[in-house]
């Protein structure tokens, strides 16, 4: 006797419902990816936040257009002594300050002009008269680049280590696990500051890996490096579990070599976790980049990033609070978008999985 | 939408609302009125003060008189470690007057200007009760060499100092002492116009002979002044208390060093200038040593104008350009940088609290004569760069990470890029910045530097910062590695002048112009500073010294 359907997340994807939807057509085999896609596309919240993320990415990609055609200034062009016309009145981009007429006067950059200055200084200027809106968009390019590239490096390295440790076991597993433990022992931010500050002076010169100080690859590599164990360790657990399954034994019995087993048998089975990890860790890494840059151990000035912009805005938090709030808001929205979409993706790929980044 | 999706949606929206609410609270929340509780009992002008609390910055390098070479270190130590000679503790130009401290009188100088004879006061004791002896002076200078002090260059003219610097064994033959009579005789290889000033530096402040030849900051050495350092934890806290031996030391006739009003000084080392200002205005500290963030100057003026003092110490902020490294080995490139930087813009970068300059010497010096070699001219700068054929070259601009200074190099980087270079900043921690750029192996191309006088004499600028014969492989102060034979010869010639007459002053002024024609640096501002106090402090007692700035020991309650 058929059991009554209960309201669960899996109900929609039961074979019976699929069959009903296809109105009696031949029931075709469905791949797990297809099933995941079906689940994901019904998650409107996840899609809304994916849309938000795409919007932010597109805005940042179009930063040069905005800088050239709207703001008429590059991200690092100073305009300390320039003036702008607001409603017919000339205004200093950075006002005169000091002891004027026997009184202490603050030298303050213009606040948000929205569109009163013909597209210039929509969000105001910083102490060097640079357009904050332009720097916000360019800063987004930097932060997203660091976040995405560092996540890619981290996930690739962590996956390789997890496959090696989980598949071979023994002393190799011991060495890799201790490497993970070693990094677990340090708080991520502390380790990031230590590495970032040390590499800020001389850069990285490790064989083929060469990056001079100030190179954006330094914070990218530091961030990817410190988070490898946080992805590698749970993946290793999954590989260890899969290693005992019958399909692996079958592959071994068929004479498959270690590389083939790792990359054609094990890897596809952890791919969904890797994908979820990736989306979650991009968000995590954007926050980490902002933290390191805020503390001076990440992206080096004058290259803008959301972290350096918050740090710059800190000095003007009383008179020009938007300067610090806007990059903060950009980080919040980006991270929220990625996390909500990542959660949706996780629910779609494997609703029982408990993949999350903890440190 | 499933139940879990609904929850995700609600939680996301909730998180956003909560975030905005927190943001609003953080920005819109009015601070409670300052409690301004008095820090201690007592009160009235020149009356004792139980605990003077200072919100300090993180710039203190050492609290060892042989090693410290920062305003932060010296501001604390000039009331702790006394040299044979020192400066009057008074406001204004009179503060530059040298007076006897531990010496009975001013030195007797031989007619050839090469021998200085001083006599130590009788009955002096260190804070631990050890008697002060004349031989302690020689031991102190020798210790400077043993600890690789940044001040050893000041004593290189003493006979036997160079030989001692190589072996660090035996004694400096040019310093002879007699513990019975207290006589100290110093022989120089040639006359030196600023030698009395050098005897008044902290590097010459007497220490007990048993003081180990290593950094004593964590275990401060015994003191001779009105105060002693009770404890010091780097980047956290320093506590200064009264020296129990001071009364007897003072009784030997040290009239120019005041007893000081605070019984104790608690120096809270804070990293954030905003926090330091808030603590001071709220009464958690009595004095803010740090500079207020520029965007709070307006509030300071409107609400706390009677709690602030604006002053201009003798200082010059400049960009060094390494003459040994391309492209700055070419004078045209150095001149181009001088033409390309708009000094008025840099004044605004410092919140307006500065005056533009292109001189080496600050305007407070009688030798200062304003020159106008490099009016802002970007087109001319670009022509010079084109003529030098260095367009497109990569340049690294160095700076430390403290205060407004990184903004100055961000401005410079922008200017260099507008000249056609590929410039980028390299910002490193302030605690290692000076030693890093002062190390020849770093090959720092260009970057930020500032100079606050060690003593009020032009030699402290030209001899220390621009004399090519004093370039060192490490701890180098001549960050530009400027080595011009004519300038070196002129410095050597003027060094022998013991009297700063008007004709000598004119020669110093001419040397300033000569160095800048070679574009040794790109000077940009003489900076002004703001001292902020809590409302409990009587600024009638305020003394700002030409060298050590605000004299902590003079402060008093309303």
């Amino acid at each position: 006797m058929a059991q009554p359907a209960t309201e669960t997340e899996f109900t929609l994807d039961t074979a019976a419902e699929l069959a009903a939807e296809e109105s009696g057509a031949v029931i075709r085999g469905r791949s797990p990816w297809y099933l995941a896609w079906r689940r994901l596309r019904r998650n409107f919240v996840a899609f809304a936040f994916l849309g938000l993320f795409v919007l932010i990415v597109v805005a940042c990609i179009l930063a040069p257009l905005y800088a050239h055609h709207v703001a008429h200034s590059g991200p690092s062009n100073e305009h300390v002594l320039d003036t702008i016309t607001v409603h017919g009145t000339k205004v200093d981009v950075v006002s005169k300050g000091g002891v004027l007429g026997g009184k202490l006067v603050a030298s303050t950059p213009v606040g948000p002009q929205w569109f009163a200055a013909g597209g210039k200084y929509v969000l105001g200027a910083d102490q060097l008269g640079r357009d904050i809106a332009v720097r916000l968009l360019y800063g987004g390019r930097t932060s997203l680049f660091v976040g995405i590239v560092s996540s890619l490096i981290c996930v690739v390295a962590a996956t390789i280590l997890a496959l090696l440790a989980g598949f071979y076991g023994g002393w190799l597993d011991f060495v890799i696990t201790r490497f993970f433990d070693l990094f677990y022992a340090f708080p991520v931010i502390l380790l990031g500051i230590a590495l970032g500050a040390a590499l800020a002076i001389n850069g990285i010169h490790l064989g083929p890996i060469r990056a001079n100080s100030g190179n954006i690859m330094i914070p990218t590599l530091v961030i990817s490096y410190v988070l490898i164990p946080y992805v590698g360790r749970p993946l290793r657990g999954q590989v260890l579990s899969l290693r005992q399954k019958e399909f692996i034994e079958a592959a071994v019995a068929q004479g498959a070599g270690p590389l083939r087993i790792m990359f054609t048998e094990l890897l596809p089975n952890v791919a969904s976790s890797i994908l979820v990890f990736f989306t979650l860790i991009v968000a995590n890494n954007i926050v980490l980049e902002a933290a390191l840059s805020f503390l001076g151990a990440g992206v080096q000035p004058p290259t803008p990033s959301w972290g350096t912009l918050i740090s710059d805005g800190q000095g003007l938090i009383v008179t020009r609070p938007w300067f610090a709030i806007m990059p903060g808001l950009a980080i919040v929205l980006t991270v929220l978008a990625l996390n909500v979409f990542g959660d949706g993706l996780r629910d779609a790929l494997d609703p029982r999985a408990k993949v999350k980044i903890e440190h | 939408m499933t139940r879990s999706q609904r929850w995700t949606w609600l939680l996301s929206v909730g998180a956003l609302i909560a975030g905005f609410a927190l943001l609003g609270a953080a920005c819109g929340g009015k601070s409670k009125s300052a409690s301004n509780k008095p820090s201690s009992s007592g009160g009235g002008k020149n009356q004792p003060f139980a605990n003077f609390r200072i919100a300090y910055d993180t710039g203190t390098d050492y609290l060892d008189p042989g090693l410290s070479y920062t305003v932060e270190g010296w501001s604390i130590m000039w009331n702790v470690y006394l040299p044979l000679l020192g400066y009057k503790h008074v406001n204004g130009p009179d503060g530059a007057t040298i007076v006897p401290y531990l010496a009975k009188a001013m030195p007797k100088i031989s007619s050839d200007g090469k021998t200085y004879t001083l006599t130590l006061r009788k009955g002096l004791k260190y804070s631990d009760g050890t008697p002060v002896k004349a031989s302690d002076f020689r031991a102190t200078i020798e210790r400077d060499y043993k600890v690789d002090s940044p001040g050893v260059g000041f004593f290189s003219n003493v006979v036997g100092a160079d030989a001692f610097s190589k072996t660090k064994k035996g004694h400096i033959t040019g310093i002879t002492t007699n513990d019975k009579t207290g006589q100290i005789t110093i022989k120089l290889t040639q006359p030196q116009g600023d030698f009395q000033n050098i005897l008044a530096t902290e590097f010459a402040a007497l220490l007990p002979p048993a003081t180990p030849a290593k950094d004593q900051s964590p275990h401060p050495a015994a003191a001779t002044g009105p105060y002693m350092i009770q404890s010091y934890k780097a980047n956290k806290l320093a506590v200064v208390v009264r020296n129990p031996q001071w009364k007897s030391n003072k009784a030997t006739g040290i009239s120019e060093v005041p007893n000081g009003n605070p019984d104790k000084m608690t120096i809270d080392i804070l990293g954030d200038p905003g926090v330091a200002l808030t603590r001071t205005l709220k009464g958690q500290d009595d004095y803010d040593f740090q500079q207020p963030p520029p965007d709070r100057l307006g509030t300071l003026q409107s609400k706390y104008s009677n709690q602030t003092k604006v002053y201009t110490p003798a200082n010059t902020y400049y960009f060094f350009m390494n003459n040994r490294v391309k492209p700055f080995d070419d004078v045209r490139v150095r001149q181009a940088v001088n033409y390309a930087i708009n000094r008025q813009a840099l004044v605004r970068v410092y919140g307006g609290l500065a005056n533009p300059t292109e001189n080496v010497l600050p305007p407070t010096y009688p030798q200062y004569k304003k020159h106008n070699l490099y009016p802002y001219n970007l087109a001319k700068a670009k022509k010079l760069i084109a003529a030098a054929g260095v367009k497109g070259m990569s340049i690294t601009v160095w700076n430390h990470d403290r205060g407004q200074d990184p903004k100055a190099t961000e401005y410079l980087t922008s200017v260099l890029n507008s000249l056609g270079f590929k410039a980028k900043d390299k910002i490193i921690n302030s605690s290692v910045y000076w030693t890093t750029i002062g190390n020849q192996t770093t090959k720092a191309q260009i970057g930020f530097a500032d100079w606050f006088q060690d003593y009020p004499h032009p030699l402290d600028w030209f001899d220390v910062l621009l004399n090519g014969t004093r370039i060192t492989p490490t701890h180098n102060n001549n960050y530009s590695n400027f080595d011009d034979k004519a300038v070196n010869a002129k410095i050597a010639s003027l060094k022998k002048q013991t009297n700063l007459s008007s004709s000598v002053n004119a020669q110093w002024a001419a040397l300033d112009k000569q160095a800048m024609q070679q574009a040794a640096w790109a000077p940009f501002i003489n900076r002004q500073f703001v001292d902020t106090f809590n409302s409990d402090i009587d600024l009638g007692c305020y003394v700002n010294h030409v060298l050590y700035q605000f004299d902590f020991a003079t402060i008093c309650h309303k």
Side-chain angles (χ1 to χ4, degrees), chain B residues 348-551:
Chain B
R348 290 197 196 179
V349 169
Y350 281 86
L353 279 169
N355 292 308
T357 188
E358 56 171 75
N359 283 60
V360 173
L361 290 174
T364 47
Y365 272 57
Q367 297 81 9
Y368 172 85
K369 190 178 178 189
K370 185 178 171 62
H371 45 72
N372 194 25
L373 295 169
Y374 302 106
Y376 175 66
N377 190 336
L378 192 60
K380 192 168 183 178
K382 283 181 177 173
K383 276 185 187 170
L384 284 165
I385 295 298
V390 292
K391 199 173 174 183
M393 193 176 252
S394 293
I395 290 178
T396 303
V397 183
W398 289 74
N399 206 342
H400 63 77
D401 57 357
R402 206 147 47 87
Q404 287 297 101
D405 300 336
K407 293 284 161 231
T409 39
E410 279 191 48
Y411 171 82
L412 176 64
T413 303
S414 170
V415 168
L416 290 173
N417 285 326
S418 71
L419 288 176
F421 291 111
K422 289 175 187 164
K424 62 185 180 195
D425 283 25
K426 184 178 270 196
I427 309 295
I428 62 173
N429 191 278
S430 57
S431 61
V432 293
Y433 178 67
W434 303 108
T435 45
T436 304
I437 62 166
N439 190 324
Q440 297 292 354
T441 59
T442 306
K443 293 183 180 169
Q445 281 174 297
I446 186 171
F448 168 87
D450 59 15
W451 190 251
F452 290 75
Q453 62 183 1
D454 299 322
Y455 51 87
H457 195 290
L459 272 171
D460 186 41
W461 301 77
F462 289 99
D463 197 32
V464 176
L465 305 175
L466 290 167
N467 190 343
T469 64
R470 285 187 63 173
I471 293 170
T472 52
T474 57
H475 295 110
N476 183 29
N477 284 317
N478 186 345
Y479 304 117
S480 281
N481 286 315
F482 181 70
D483 189 5
D484 182 90
K485 281 182 183 172
V487 170
N488 295 347
K490 193 71 185 167
I491 293 170
S493 155
L494 287 169
K495 199 172 184 176
K496 293 173 187 166
Q497 302 292 332
T498 50
N499 181 24
L500 288 173
S501 62
S502 57
S503 69
V504 172
N505 286 348
Q507 289 181 64
W508 280 116
L511 182 62
D512 196 318
K513 192 170 185 177
Q514 191 179 342
M516 280 311 299
Q517 279 167 337
Q518 294 297 312
W521 303 340
F524 56 92
I525 55 164
N526 304 120
R527 197 171 171 194
Q528 294 173 301
F529 290 84
V530 180
D531 274 343
T532 310
F533 298 85
N534 80 30
S535 58
D536 191 41
I537 299 298
D538 179 2
L539 294 189
C541 303
Y542 178 82
V543 170
N544 193 293
H545 189 259
V546 290
L547 179 53
Y548 296 100
Q549 299 169 21
F550 166 52
D551 186 352

Side-chain angles (χ1 to χ4, degrees), chain A:
Chain A
M1 192 174 74
Q3 288 185 343
T6 54
E7 190 181 330
T8 70
E9 291 183 0
F10 317 112
T11 318
L12 292 172
D13 292 325
T14 58
E17 289 210 7
L18 283 168
E21 276 182 19
E22 289 171 357
S23 309
V26 177
I27 299 171
R28 289 174 295 171
R30 304 289 180 187
S31 75
W33 293 103
Y34 179 80
L35 294 175
W37 166 243
R38 285 183 63 90
R39 282 192 287 264
L40 181 63
R41 74 183 187 193
R42 290 187 175 134
N43 187 340
F44 301 116
V45 177
F47 262 92
F49 278 95
L50 176 65
L52 176 64
F53 178 68
V54 170
L55 203 67
I56 291 168
V57 172
V58 169
C60 293
I61 289 171
L62 296 178
L65 287 178
Y66 177 82
H68 189 259
H69 296 288
V70 183
H72 307 290
S73 175
S76 299
N77 297 133
E78 59 83 19
H79 301 280
V80 185
L81 296 178
D82 287 4
T83 53
I84 50 170
T85 306
V86 182
H87 302 305
T89 310
K90 284 204 167 185
V91 176
D92 285 337
V93 174
V94 180
S95 67
K96 280 181 188 170
V99 185
L100 303 175
K103 287 185 175 177
L104 267 178
V105 179
S107 185
T108 314
V110 287
Q113 299 301 308
W114 308 119
F115 289 95
K120 288 181 177 178
Y121 301 107
V122 169
L123 298 176
D126 69 6
Q127 290 142 308
L128 292 177
R130 296 175 296 199
D131 192 311
I132 291 172
V134 174
R135 285 179 68 75
L136 185 70
L137 294 175
Y138 272 93
R141 288 160 73 104
T142 310
S143 294
L144 290 169
F145 174 86
V146 173
I148 292 169
V149 174
S150 65
S151 302
L152 269 175
I153 297 170
C154 172
V155 165
V156 168
T159 304
I160 292 169
L161 288 172
L163 285 171
L164 288 171
F167 179 77
Y168 284 108
W171 66 268
L172 188 61
D173 182 34
F174 179 81
V175 170
I176 292 171
T177 313
R178 292 295 82 74
F179 165 76
F180 289 161
D181 289 344
L182 191 70
F183 277 75
Y184 261 124
F186 293 97
V188 169
I189 291 272
L190 216 58
L191 192 60
I193 291 171
L195 286 171
L199 296 173
I201 297 178
N202 294 320
I204 299 175
H205 301 282
L206 280 173
I209 304 170
R210 302 185 77 80
N212 290 324
S213 66
N215 191 315
I216 199 168
M217 283 312 290
I218 290 179
T220 307
L221 289 171
V222 166
I223 291 169
S224 61
Y225 191 57
V226 298
L227 286 173
I228 286 173
Y230 295 88
V231 180
R233 203 175 172 118
L235 283 181
R236 171 191 162 271
Q238 287 191 22
V239 173
L240 269 178
S241 161
L242 289 168
R243 178 76 177 84
Q244 311 303 322
K245 300 279 183 189
E246 292 80 0
F247 71 95
I248 300 295
E249 284 174 13
V252 172
Q254 284 176 349
L259 280 178
R260 184 173 168 181
I261 294 172
M262 278 192 279
F263 289 98
T264 62
E265 303 293 339
L266 291 170
L267 187 59
N269 280 287
V270 291
S272 59
S273 295
I274 293 170
L275 200 61
V276 174
F277 264 127
F278 179 73
T279 54
L280 295 178
I281 212 164
V282 168
N284 190 76
N285 286 2
I286 287 171
V287 174
L288 190 54
E289 179 279 319
L292 291 180
S293 297
F294 180 82
L295 296 167
V299 175
Q300 293 286 299
T303 307
S305 82
W306 287 337
T308 56
L309 290 180
I310 294 175
S311 177
D312 287 349
Q314 190 192 14
L316 291 166
I317 198 74
V318 176
T319 50
R320 297 287 177 257
W322 282 106
F323 186 4
I325 290 172
M326 290 311 295
L329 204 58
I331 293 172
V332 168
L333 290 175
T334 308
V335 170
L336 189 66
L338 280 167
N339 276 332
V340 174
F341 176 69
D343 282 349
L345 196 62
R346 181 192 57 199
D347 292 346
L349 286 167
D350 184 357
R352 288 159 297 177
K354 289 179 178 171
V355 173
K356 56 183 177 180
I357 310 292
E358 284 179 343
H359 54 80

Side-chain angles (χ1 to χ4, degrees), chain B residues 235-278:
Chain B
N235 289 320
K236 280 191 175 174
L237 182 75
V239 179
V240 176
V241 294
R242 287 196 184 276
N243 174 358
Q245 303 297 334
W246 174 245
K247 274 189 181 173
S248 64
N249 285 355
K250 177 94 173 169
T252 64
I254 308 174
S255 58
E256 296 293 354
V257 180
N259 293 332
N261 292 327
D263 289 334
K264 183 179 175 185
M265 293 186 243
T266 305
I267 294 147
D268 300 309
I269 299 170
L270 306 166
D272 190 316
V275 172
L277 182 66
T278 304

Side-chain angles (χ1 to χ4, degrees), chain B residues 132-186:
Chain B
V132 181
K133 294 178 291 181
S135 56
D136 295 353
F137 173 75
R138 186 173 65 187
T140 296
I141 307 303
E142 288 171 354
R143 179 179 179 271
D144 285 346
Y145 280 93
K146 288 174 186 169
V147 298
D148 196 18
S149 164
V152 291
F154 292 133
F155 303 100
S156 59
N157 190 23
V158 175
V159 171
D162 278 349
F164 183 81
S165 72
K166 286 167 193 156
T167 62
K168 291 173 186 167
K169 285 177 183 169
H171 291 295
I172 297 172
T173 54
I175 304 175
T176 50
T177 56
N178 185 329
D179 287 343
K180 283 186 181 172
T181 61
Q183 188 168 300
I184 298 164
T185 308
I186 308 159

